[in-house]
Amino acid sequence: MIYQILDLYSNSYGIVMWLIGEKGERKSVFRRFRPYFFIKTEDTKALKLLKRRFGNSIKIKKTRKKDLIDGEIQLFKIVSDSPAVYYKAVNFVKNKKEFQESDLYNLQLTPSQLFLFEKRIFPFCQLEEICINGKTLYKKIDDYSTTDYTVFPLRIMEIKPETEGENPNHTKYLPPLIVNFEGSSLIFDNQTDELSDFIKKKIPTYLSYSTEISLLFQAC
């Protein structure tokens, strides 16, 4: 079975991938992931402070990487036990004066971005589902050089306000919303529960809505 990566995001424990098959079938796959960042420092006290704060939920390893300016440099790789720990460790390092003189790498990256980079995968990358010793695995069959390939069928639902262009901050009530789906248009007039049930029933592959829609819901 061949799938494409439709969506990918992190939760507290790892990475969730939503896959779409050749006939439109969808499935979610969870993978444990330990995101990481790098610190270049001579201050071992700062590293000990980090280790005391997070204990066994992080690992600190010496490593070497190539820098565009300085060539090969020695770094400390901070491997967190989960995305939840990763975010806490990143905030800790950013806000502690002990790390102000350190060179920090990868702190701006999300666990999802790190996962994509490490696994060398990308949105709509094709994966082959294989079974080895009763375990289901997904083998990448695309590469970054691919520029011409087919996207499997998508069920796209578009939501937009009936009257566009209004300032959401000046809206007291949710205006009628137009939902376009599979060649049909429906109007939901202040029927948020009905709209939610409709989305759950139809299960679109891709939900399209503008920033204006998000602001409208916040304003109301």
Side-chain angles (χ1 to χ4, degrees):
M1 179 72 73
I2 304 300
Y3 289 92
Q4 285 182 321
I5 298 175
L6 181 64
D7 192 16
L8 183 150
Y9 54 88
S10 65
N11 61 19
S12 296
Y13 306 101
I15 300 294
V16 178
M17 289 191 296
W18 277 96
L19 310 179
I20 181 172
E22 297 171 279
K23 297 180 181 179
E25 61 272 28
R26 286 151 292 176
K27 66 186 307 183
S28 64
V29 176
F30 173 78
R31 289 290 182 266
R32 283 298 303 264
F33 183 59
R34 295 172 173 81
Y36 51 86
F37 58 92
F38 300 92
I39 298 176
K40 181 184 177 184
T41 182
E42 302 294 333
D43 187 357
T44 57
K45 291 182 180 179
L47 295 173
K48 289 179 180 178
L49 178 67
L50 181 64
K51 186 63 177 177
R52 282 201 306 270
R53 169 63 180 82
F54 292 96
N56 293 331
S57 60
I58 66 166
K59 292 183 179 180
I60 302 177
K61 307 175 181 178
K62 279 187 178 181
T63 187
R64 303 189 72 86
K65 290 181 69 68
K66 288 185 178 181
D67 184 84
L68 291 176
I69 298 175
D70 299 326
E72 190 173 80
I73 58 176
Q74 180 174 291
L75 302 168
F76 291 95
K77 185 177 183 180
I78 315 301
V79 183
S80 55
D81 188 54
S82 66
V85 173
Y86 172 81
Y87 282 120
K88 292 178 182 179
V90 165
N91 288 331
F92 183 84
V93 168
K94 283 182 176 180
N95 294 310
K96 285 294 182 180
K97 63 180 181 180
E98 286 83 356
F99 294 96
Q100 290 179 356
E101 302 300 322
S102 304
D103 293 328
L104 308 173
Y105 301 83
N106 283 20
L107 269 70
Q108 78 281 10
L109 299 179
T110 66
S112 298
Q113 290 170 326
L114 286 167
F115 184 83
L116 288 168
F117 174 79
E118 185 175 294
K119 303 299 182 183
R120 299 187 66 79
I121 55 178
F122 47 90
F124 295 110
C125 170
Q126 290 194 12
L127 308 174
E128 181 181 8
E129 184 181 76
I130 57 177
C131 186
I132 299 179
N133 297 326
K135 185 177 181 179
T136 301
L137 304 174
Y138 294 88
K139 178 183 177 182
K140 183 184 67 172
I141 55 176
D142 259 337
D143 59 56
Y144 286 104
S145 64
T146 302
T147 58
D148 185 16
Y149 57 91
T150 301
V151 175
F152 295 159
L154 301 178
R155 303 178 69 205
I156 299 175
M157 180 181 292
E158 179 190 23
I159 303 176
K160 62 181 182 180
E162 185 179 39
T163 303
E164 299 184 71
E166 295 183 357
N167 188 335
N169 293 323
H170 298 163
T171 303
K172 292 184 179 180
Y173 303 99
L174 187 67
L177 299 177
I178 299 176
V179 178
N180 297 316
F181 184 64
E182 296 186 331
S184 299
S185 293
L186 297 172
I187 296 180
F188 291 83
D189 189 358
N190 201 25
Q191 300 168 295
T192 54
D193 290 340
E194 289 82 352
L195 175 57
S196 177
D197 291 340
F198 181 76
I199 295 173
K200 292 177 182 178
K201 180 180 179 181
K202 297 299 182 181
I203 317 178
T205 309
Y206 178 74
L207 185 60
S208 171
Y209 58 91
S210 64
T211 303
E212 184 180 19
I213 289 292
S214 297
L215 292 174
L216 281 168
F217 275 101
Q218 293 173 21
C220 299

Short mmCIF file of all heavy atoms in Angstrom, two decimals, residues 15-69:
data_model
loop_
_atom_site.label_atom_id
_atom_site.label_comp_id
_atom_site.label_asym_id
_atom_site.label_seq_id
_atom_site.Cartn_x
_atom_site.Cartn_y
_atom_site.Cartn_z
N ILE A 15 5.42 12.35 17.45
CA ILE A 15 4.94 12.91 16.18
C ILE A 15 3.73 12.13 15.68
O ILE A 15 3.73 10.90 15.68
CB ILE A 15 6.05 12.87 15.12
CG1 ILE A 15 7.26 13.69 15.57
CG2 ILE A 15 5.52 13.39 13.78
CD1 ILE A 15 7.00 15.18 15.70
N VAL A 16 2.71 12.86 15.26
CA VAL A 16 1.52 12.26 14.64
C VAL A 16 1.55 12.58 13.15
O VAL A 16 1.66 13.75 12.76
CB VAL A 16 0.22 12.79 15.26
CG1 VAL A 16 -0.99 12.17 14.56
CG2 VAL A 16 0.18 12.49 16.76
N MET A 17 1.49 11.56 12.33
CA MET A 17 1.42 11.75 10.88
C MET A 17 0.06 11.29 10.37
O MET A 17 -0.41 10.20 10.73
CB MET A 17 2.51 10.94 10.16
CG MET A 17 3.92 11.46 10.35
SD MET A 17 5.09 10.63 9.22
CE MET A 17 4.98 8.93 9.79
N TRP A 18 -0.58 12.12 9.56
CA TRP A 18 -1.79 11.72 8.87
C TRP A 18 -1.43 11.38 7.43
O TRP A 18 -0.80 12.17 6.74
CB TRP A 18 -2.84 12.83 8.91
CG TRP A 18 -3.62 12.83 10.19
CD1 TRP A 18 -3.40 13.58 11.29
CD2 TRP A 18 -4.76 12.01 10.49
NE1 TRP A 18 -4.31 13.28 12.28
CE2 TRP A 18 -5.17 12.33 11.81
CE3 TRP A 18 -5.47 11.04 9.78
CZ2 TRP A 18 -6.25 11.71 12.43
CZ3 TRP A 18 -6.55 10.42 10.40
CH2 TRP A 18 -6.94 10.76 11.70
N LEU A 19 -1.81 10.17 7.01
CA LEU A 19 -1.46 9.68 5.69
C LEU A 19 -2.72 9.51 4.85
O LEU A 19 -3.80 9.21 5.37
CB LEU A 19 -0.74 8.34 5.79
CG LEU A 19 0.45 8.26 6.76
CD1 LEU A 19 1.03 6.85 6.75
CD2 LEU A 19 1.51 9.28 6.40
N ILE A 20 -2.58 9.71 3.54
CA ILE A 20 -3.68 9.49 2.61
C ILE A 20 -3.25 8.47 1.57
O ILE A 20 -2.12 8.53 1.06
CB ILE A 20 -4.12 10.82 1.93
CG1 ILE A 20 -5.29 10.56 0.98
CG2 ILE A 20 -2.96 11.50 1.21
CD1 ILE A 20 -5.91 11.82 0.43
N GLY A 21 -4.13 7.50 1.29
CA GLY A 21 -3.81 6.44 0.35
C GLY A 21 -4.24 6.76 -1.07
O GLY A 21 -4.87 7.79 -1.35
N GLU A 22 -3.93 5.85 -1.97
CA GLU A 22 -4.21 6.06 -3.40
C GLU A 22 -5.70 6.19 -3.70
O GLU A 22 -6.09 6.84 -4.67
CB GLU A 22 -3.61 4.90 -4.21
CG GLU A 22 -2.10 4.80 -4.10
CD GLU A 22 -1.56 3.53 -4.71
OE1 GLU A 22 -1.60 2.48 -4.03
OE2 GLU A 22 -1.10 3.59 -5.87
N LYS A 23 -6.54 5.58 -2.87
CA LYS A 23 -7.98 5.64 -3.09
C LYS A 23 -8.67 6.60 -2.12
O LYS A 23 -9.88 6.54 -1.94
CB LYS A 23 -8.58 4.24 -2.96
CG LYS A 23 -8.06 3.25 -4.01
CD LYS A 23 -8.70 1.88 -3.84
CE LYS A 23 -8.17 0.90 -4.88
NZ LYS A 23 -8.78 -0.45 -4.70
N GLY A 24 -7.89 7.46 -1.47
CA GLY A 24 -8.47 8.44 -0.56
C GLY A 24 -8.57 7.97 0.88
O GLY A 24 -9.02 8.73 1.74
N GLU A 25 -8.17 6.74 1.16
CA GLU A 25 -8.24 6.24 2.54
C GLU A 25 -7.22 6.99 3.40
O GLU A 25 -6.15 7.37 2.93
CB GLU A 25 -7.98 4.73 2.60
CG GLU A 25 -6.62 4.28 2.11
CD GLU A 25 -6.57 4.01 0.61
OE1 GLU A 25 -7.34 4.63 -0.13
OE2 GLU A 25 -5.74 3.20 0.20
N ARG A 26 -7.58 7.20 4.66
CA ARG A 26 -6.72 7.97 5.56
C ARG A 26 -6.43 7.19 6.83
O ARG A 26 -7.24 6.39 7.27
CB ARG A 26 -7.40 9.30 5.92
CG ARG A 26 -7.40 10.32 4.81
CD ARG A 26 -8.58 11.24 4.90
NE ARG A 26 -9.83 10.52 4.63
CZ ARG A 26 -11.02 11.07 4.72
NH1 ARG A 26 -11.13 12.33 5.07
NH2 ARG A 26 -12.10 10.37 4.45
N LYS A 27 -5.27 7.46 7.39
CA LYS A 27 -4.91 6.82 8.65
C LYS A 27 -3.89 7.69 9.36
O LYS A 27 -3.16 8.46 8.75
CB LYS A 27 -4.35 5.41 8.42
CG LYS A 27 -3.03 5.37 7.69
CD LYS A 27 -2.61 3.95 7.36
CE LYS A 27 -2.58 3.03 8.55
NZ LYS A 27 -2.11 1.68 8.23
N SER A 28 -3.87 7.58 10.70
CA SER A 28 -2.89 8.32 11.48
C SER A 28 -1.84 7.34 12.01
O SER A 28 -2.14 6.19 12.32
CB SER A 28 -3.55 9.06 12.65
OG SER A 28 -4.13 8.14 13.55
N VAL A 29 -0.61 7.82 12.10
CA VAL A 29 0.51 7.01 12.56
C VAL A 29 1.25 7.80 13.63
O VAL A 29 1.56 8.98 13.43
CB VAL A 29 1.47 6.66 11.40
CG1 VAL A 29 2.68 5.89 11.92
CG2 VAL A 29 0.74 5.87 10.33
N PHE A 30 1.53 7.18 14.75
CA PHE A 30 2.27 7.85 15.83
C PHE A 30 3.68 7.29 15.90
O PHE A 30 3.90 6.08 15.79
CB PHE A 30 1.57 7.64 17.18
CG PHE A 30 2.37 8.16 18.35
CD1 PHE A 30 2.41 9.52 18.62
CD2 PHE A 30 3.10 7.28 19.15
CE1 PHE A 30 3.16 10.00 19.70
CE2 PHE A 30 3.83 7.75 20.22
CZ PHE A 30 3.87 9.12 20.49
N ARG A 31 4.63 8.19 16.07
CA ARG A 31 6.02 7.80 16.25
C ARG A 31 6.63 8.56 17.43
O ARG A 31 6.50 9.78 17.51
CB ARG A 31 6.85 8.09 14.98
CG ARG A 31 6.52 7.17 13.81
CD ARG A 31 7.01 5.77 14.09
NE ARG A 31 6.76 4.86 12.97
CZ ARG A 31 5.70 4.08 12.86
NH1 ARG A 31 4.77 4.12 13.81
NH2 ARG A 31 5.56 3.27 11.83
N ARG A 32 7.26 7.84 18.34
CA ARG A 32 8.01 8.51 19.41
C ARG A 32 9.15 9.29 18.78
O ARG A 32 9.79 8.83 17.84
CB ARG A 32 8.56 7.50 20.40
CG ARG A 32 7.55 6.94 21.39
CD ARG A 32 6.97 8.01 22.29
NE ARG A 32 7.98 8.75 23.04
CZ ARG A 32 8.35 8.47 24.27
NH1 ARG A 32 7.82 7.44 24.91
NH2 ARG A 32 9.25 9.20 24.88
N PHE A 33 9.40 10.49 19.32
CA PHE A 33 10.49 11.30 18.78
C PHE A 33 11.12 12.09 19.91
O PHE A 33 10.42 12.63 20.77
CB PHE A 33 9.97 12.24 17.70
CG PHE A 33 11.03 13.07 17.04
CD1 PHE A 33 12.09 12.46 16.40
CD2 PHE A 33 11.00 14.46 17.09
CE1 PHE A 33 13.10 13.21 15.81
CE2 PHE A 33 11.99 15.22 16.50
CZ PHE A 33 13.04 14.60 15.85
N ARG A 34 12.43 12.13 19.89
CA ARG A 34 13.19 12.85 20.92
C ARG A 34 13.90 14.04 20.26
O ARG A 34 15.03 13.90 19.78
CB ARG A 34 14.18 11.89 21.59
CG ARG A 34 13.49 10.77 22.37
CD ARG A 34 14.47 9.73 22.87
NE ARG A 34 13.81 8.77 23.75
CZ ARG A 34 13.10 7.73 23.31
NH1 ARG A 34 12.95 7.53 22.02
NH2 ARG A 34 12.52 6.91 24.17
N PRO A 35 13.26 15.21 20.25
CA PRO A 35 13.86 16.37 19.61
C PRO A 35 15.09 16.87 20.36
O PRO A 35 15.28 16.58 21.55
CB PRO A 35 12.74 17.42 19.61
CG PRO A 35 11.75 16.94 20.60
CD PRO A 35 11.92 15.48 20.78
N TYR A 36 15.91 17.62 19.68
CA TYR A 36 17.20 18.00 20.24
C TYR A 36 17.61 19.40 19.77
O TYR A 36 17.08 19.94 18.80
CB TYR A 36 18.27 16.99 19.79
CG TYR A 36 18.25 16.76 18.29
CD1 TYR A 36 18.96 17.59 17.42
CD2 TYR A 36 17.48 15.74 17.73
CE1 TYR A 36 18.92 17.39 16.05
CE2 TYR A 36 17.43 15.54 16.37
CZ TYR A 36 18.15 16.36 15.53
OH TYR A 36 18.09 16.17 14.17
N PHE A 37 18.54 19.98 20.49
CA PHE A 37 19.18 21.22 20.07
C PHE A 37 20.64 21.16 20.49
O PHE A 37 21.08 20.20 21.14
CB PHE A 37 18.47 22.46 20.62
CG PHE A 37 18.37 22.53 22.11
CD1 PHE A 37 19.35 23.17 22.87
CD2 PHE A 37 17.28 21.96 22.79
CE1 PHE A 37 19.26 23.24 24.25
CE2 PHE A 37 17.19 22.03 24.17
CZ PHE A 37 18.19 22.67 24.91
N PHE A 38 21.42 22.17 20.10
CA PHE A 38 22.86 22.15 20.35
C PHE A 38 23.30 23.40 21.11
O PHE A 38 22.75 24.48 20.91
CB PHE A 38 23.63 22.07 19.03
CG PHE A 38 23.33 20.85 18.21
CD1 PHE A 38 22.33 20.87 17.25
CD2 PHE A 38 24.03 19.67 18.41
CE1 PHE A 38 22.05 19.75 16.47
CE2 PHE A 38 23.76 18.54 17.65
CZ PHE A 38 22.76 18.58 16.68
N ILE A 39 24.29 23.22 21.95
CA ILE A 39 24.88 24.32 22.70
C ILE A 39 26.40 24.27 22.53
O ILE A 39 27.02 23.22 22.70
CB ILE A 39 24.55 24.25 24.20
CG1 ILE A 39 23.04 24.35 24.42
CG2 ILE A 39 25.27 25.36 24.96
CD1 ILE A 39 22.64 24.19 25.89
N LYS A 40 26.99 25.41 22.18
CA LYS A 40 28.44 25.54 22.16
C LYS A 40 28.84 26.41 23.34
O LYS A 40 28.53 27.60 23.38
CB LYS A 40 28.92 26.17 20.85
CG LYS A 40 30.43 26.32 20.75
CD LYS A 40 30.83 27.05 19.48
CE LYS A 40 32.35 27.25 19.45
NZ LYS A 40 32.77 28.05 18.26
N THR A 41 29.48 25.82 24.32
CA THR A 41 29.83 26.55 25.53
C THR A 41 31.04 25.92 26.21
O THR A 41 31.30 24.71 26.05
CB THR A 41 28.65 26.57 26.52
OG1 THR A 41 29.00 27.34 27.67
CG2 THR A 41 28.26 25.17 26.95
N GLU A 42 31.77 26.72 26.93
CA GLU A 42 32.87 26.24 27.76
C GLU A 42 32.45 26.17 29.22
O GLU A 42 33.22 25.74 30.08
CB GLU A 42 34.08 27.17 27.61
CG GLU A 42 34.59 27.33 26.18
CD GLU A 42 35.16 26.04 25.62
OE1 GLU A 42 35.64 25.21 26.43
OE2 GLU A 42 35.13 25.86 24.39
N ASP A 43 31.25 26.62 29.51
CA ASP A 43 30.75 26.71 30.89
C ASP A 43 30.06 25.41 31.29
O ASP A 43 28.88 25.20 30.99
CB ASP A 43 29.80 27.89 31.01
CG ASP A 43 29.37 28.16 32.45
OD1 ASP A 43 29.78 27.38 33.34
OD2 ASP A 43 28.64 29.14 32.69
N THR A 44 30.78 24.54 31.93
CA THR A 44 30.18 23.27 32.35
C THR A 44 29.16 23.46 33.45
O THR A 44 28.26 22.63 33.63
CB THR A 44 31.28 22.29 32.84
OG1 THR A 44 32.02 22.91 33.89
CG2 THR A 44 32.23 21.95 31.70
N LYS A 45 29.28 24.56 34.21
CA LYS A 45 28.30 24.84 35.26
C LYS A 45 26.91 25.04 34.66
O LYS A 45 25.91 24.62 35.25
CB LYS A 45 28.72 26.06 36.07
CG LYS A 45 29.95 25.86 36.93
CD LYS A 45 30.26 27.11 37.73
CE LYS A 45 31.50 26.90 38.61
NZ LYS A 45 31.82 28.13 39.38
N ALA A 46 26.85 25.69 33.49
CA ALA A 46 25.56 25.92 32.83
C ALA A 46 24.93 24.59 32.43
O ALA A 46 23.72 24.38 32.60
CB ALA A 46 25.75 26.82 31.61
N LEU A 47 25.76 23.68 31.92
CA LEU A 47 25.25 22.37 31.52
C LEU A 47 24.78 21.57 32.74
O LEU A 47 23.77 20.86 32.68
CB LEU A 47 26.32 21.60 30.76
CG LEU A 47 26.75 22.19 29.42
CD1 LEU A 47 27.92 21.42 28.85
CD2 LEU A 47 25.58 22.19 28.43
N LYS A 48 25.50 21.68 33.84
CA LYS A 48 25.09 20.99 35.07
C LYS A 48 23.76 21.55 35.58
O LYS A 48 22.92 20.81 36.10
CB LYS A 48 26.17 21.12 36.13
CG LYS A 48 27.42 20.31 35.83
CD LYS A 48 28.49 20.51 36.91
CE LYS A 48 29.74 19.70 36.59
NZ LYS A 48 30.81 19.92 37.60
N LEU A 49 23.58 22.87 35.43
CA LEU A 49 22.32 23.49 35.83
C LEU A 49 21.16 22.94 35.00
O LEU A 49 20.08 22.63 35.53
CB LEU A 49 22.42 25.01 35.64
CG LEU A 49 21.16 25.83 35.97
CD1 LEU A 49 20.87 25.76 37.46
CD2 LEU A 49 21.35 27.28 35.53
N LEU A 50 21.40 22.78 33.70
CA LEU A 50 20.38 22.22 32.81
C LEU A 50 20.05 20.78 33.19
O LEU A 50 18.89 20.38 33.23
CB LEU A 50 20.87 22.30 31.36
CG LEU A 50 19.95 21.77 30.26
CD1 LEU A 50 18.67 22.59 30.19
CD2 LEU A 50 20.67 21.79 28.91
N LYS A 51 21.09 20.01 33.51
CA LYS A 51 20.88 18.61 33.87
C LYS A 51 20.14 18.49 35.20
O LYS A 51 19.27 17.61 35.36
CB LYS A 51 22.24 17.90 33.96
CG LYS A 51 22.15 16.41 34.20
CD LYS A 51 21.45 15.70 33.04
CE LYS A 51 21.42 14.19 33.25
NZ LYS A 51 20.69 13.49 32.18
N ARG A 52 20.46 19.36 36.16
CA ARG A 52 19.75 19.32 37.44
C ARG A 52 18.28 19.62 37.27
O ARG A 52 17.42 19.04 37.93
CB ARG A 52 20.37 20.31 38.43
CG ARG A 52 21.65 19.84 39.07
CD ARG A 52 21.95 20.60 40.36
NE ARG A 52 21.96 22.04 40.17
CZ ARG A 52 23.04 22.74 39.85
NH1 ARG A 52 24.20 22.11 39.66
NH2 ARG A 52 22.97 24.05 39.71
N ARG A 53 17.99 20.55 36.37
CA ARG A 53 16.58 20.95 36.16
C ARG A 53 15.77 19.84 35.51
O ARG A 53 14.61 19.61 35.88
CB ARG A 53 16.55 22.22 35.29
CG ARG A 53 15.18 22.60 34.76
CD ARG A 53 14.20 22.93 35.88
NE ARG A 53 12.91 23.29 35.35
CZ ARG A 53 11.97 22.44 34.97
NH1 ARG A 53 12.19 21.12 35.09
NH2 ARG A 53 10.81 22.86 34.50
N PHE A 54 16.35 19.11 34.57
CA PHE A 54 15.55 18.14 33.80
C PHE A 54 15.91 16.69 34.06
O PHE A 54 15.20 15.79 33.61
CB PHE A 54 15.68 18.45 32.30
CG PHE A 54 15.03 19.75 31.90
CD1 PHE A 54 15.76 20.91 31.81
CD2 PHE A 54 13.67 19.80 31.68
CE1 PHE A 54 15.15 22.12 31.47
CE2 PHE A 54 13.04 20.99 31.33
CZ PHE A 54 13.79 22.16 31.23
N GLY A 55 16.97 16.43 34.78
CA GLY A 55 17.30 15.06 35.17
C GLY A 55 17.39 14.10 34.00
O GLY A 55 18.00 14.40 32.96
N ASN A 56 16.77 12.94 34.16
CA ASN A 56 16.83 11.89 33.14
C ASN A 56 15.96 12.16 31.93
O ASN A 56 15.97 11.36 30.98
CB ASN A 56 16.46 10.54 33.76
CG ASN A 56 17.47 10.07 34.78
OD1 ASN A 56 18.65 10.38 34.68
ND2 ASN A 56 17.01 9.31 35.77
N SER A 57 15.20 13.25 31.94
CA SER A 57 14.35 13.55 30.78
C SER A 57 15.14 14.21 29.65
O SER A 57 14.59 14.45 28.57
CB SER A 57 13.18 14.45 31.19
OG SER A 57 13.64 15.67 31.71
N ILE A 58 16.42 14.50 29.88
CA ILE A 58 17.30 14.95 28.81
C ILE A 58 18.62 14.19 28.87
O ILE A 58 18.99 13.65 29.92
CB ILE A 58 17.59 16.48 28.86
CG1 ILE A 58 18.40 16.83 30.12
CG2 ILE A 58 16.33 17.29 28.77
CD1 ILE A 58 19.00 18.21 30.08
N LYS A 59 19.31 14.14 27.75
CA LYS A 59 20.65 13.57 27.69
C LYS A 59 21.57 14.61 27.04
O LYS A 59 21.18 15.27 26.08
CB LYS A 59 20.66 12.26 26.90
CG LYS A 59 19.93 11.13 27.59
CD LYS A 59 20.04 9.84 26.79
CE LYS A 59 19.31 8.70 27.50
NZ LYS A 59 19.41 7.43 26.71
N ILE A 60 22.77 14.74 27.57
CA ILE A 60 23.74 15.69 27.04
C ILE A 60 24.92 14.90 26.47
O ILE A 60 25.56 14.13 27.19
CB ILE A 60 24.22 16.67 28.13
CG1 ILE A 60 23.02 17.43 28.73
CG2 ILE A 60 25.24 17.64 27.56
CD1 ILE A 60 23.38 18.36 29.86
N LYS A 61 25.17 15.10 25.18
CA LYS A 61 26.23 14.35 24.51
C LYS A 61 27.17 15.31 23.80
O LYS A 61 26.74 16.31 23.22
CB LYS A 61 25.63 13.39 23.47
CG LYS A 61 24.55 12.46 23.98
CD LYS A 61 23.98 11.66 22.84
CE LYS A 61 22.86 10.72 23.30
NZ LYS A 61 22.28 9.97 22.15
N LYS A 62 28.45 14.99 23.80
CA LYS A 62 29.42 15.74 23.01
C LYS A 62 29.32 15.29 21.55
O LYS A 62 29.18 14.10 21.27
CB LYS A 62 30.84 15.52 23.52
CG LYS A 62 31.22 16.36 24.72
CD LYS A 62 32.70 16.20 25.03
CE LYS A 62 33.11 17.07 26.20
NZ LYS A 62 34.57 16.95 26.50
N THR A 63 29.39 16.24 20.64
CA THR A 63 29.35 15.90 19.22
C THR A 63 30.12 16.95 18.44
O THR A 63 30.52 17.98 18.98
CB THR A 63 27.89 15.82 18.73
OG1 THR A 63 27.88 15.34 17.38
CG2 THR A 63 27.22 17.19 18.76
N ARG A 64 30.30 16.69 17.17
CA ARG A 64 31.00 17.65 16.31
C ARG A 64 30.13 17.88 15.07
O ARG A 64 29.54 16.95 14.53
CB ARG A 64 32.39 17.13 15.90
CG ARG A 64 33.27 16.81 17.09
CD ARG A 64 34.70 16.52 16.67
NE ARG A 64 35.40 17.73 16.23
CZ ARG A 64 36.02 18.56 17.06
NH1 ARG A 64 36.04 18.31 18.37
NH2 ARG A 64 36.64 19.62 16.60
N LYS A 65 30.08 19.14 14.64
CA LYS A 65 29.32 19.49 13.45
C LYS A 65 30.12 20.49 12.62
O LYS A 65 31.00 21.18 13.14
CB LYS A 65 27.96 20.10 13.83
CG LYS A 65 27.00 19.10 14.44
CD LYS A 65 25.67 19.75 14.78
CE LYS A 65 24.89 20.13 13.55
NZ LYS A 65 24.43 18.96 12.79
N LYS A 66 29.76 20.58 11.35
CA LYS A 66 30.42 21.53 10.47
C LYS A 66 29.68 22.86 10.49
O LYS A 66 28.46 22.91 10.36
CB LYS A 66 30.48 20.98 9.04
CG LYS A 66 31.46 19.84 8.87
CD LYS A 66 31.56 19.41 7.42
CE LYS A 66 32.60 18.30 7.24
NZ LYS A 66 32.71 17.87 5.82
N ASP A 67 30.43 23.94 10.67
CA ASP A 67 29.90 25.29 10.66
C ASP A 67 30.37 25.99 9.39
O ASP A 67 31.53 25.80 8.97
CB ASP A 67 30.38 26.05 11.90
CG ASP A 67 29.77 27.44 11.99
OD1 ASP A 67 28.65 27.57 12.48
OD2 ASP A 67 30.44 28.40 11.55
N LEU A 68 29.50 26.78 8.77
CA LEU A 68 29.86 27.43 7.51
C LEU A 68 31.05 28.37 7.67
O LEU A 68 31.82 28.55 6.73
CB LEU A 68 28.65 28.21 6.97
CG LEU A 68 27.46 27.37 6.48
CD1 LEU A 68 26.31 28.28 6.08
CD2 LEU A 68 27.87 26.48 5.31
N ILE A 69 31.19 28.97 8.83
CA ILE A 69 32.27 29.94 9.05
C ILE A 69 33.47 29.31 9.76
O ILE A 69 34.62 29.47 9.33
CB ILE A 69 31.75 31.14 9.86
CG1 ILE A 69 30.63 31.86 9.07
CG2 ILE A 69 32.88 32.12 10.18
CD1 ILE A 69 29.97 32.98 9.82
#
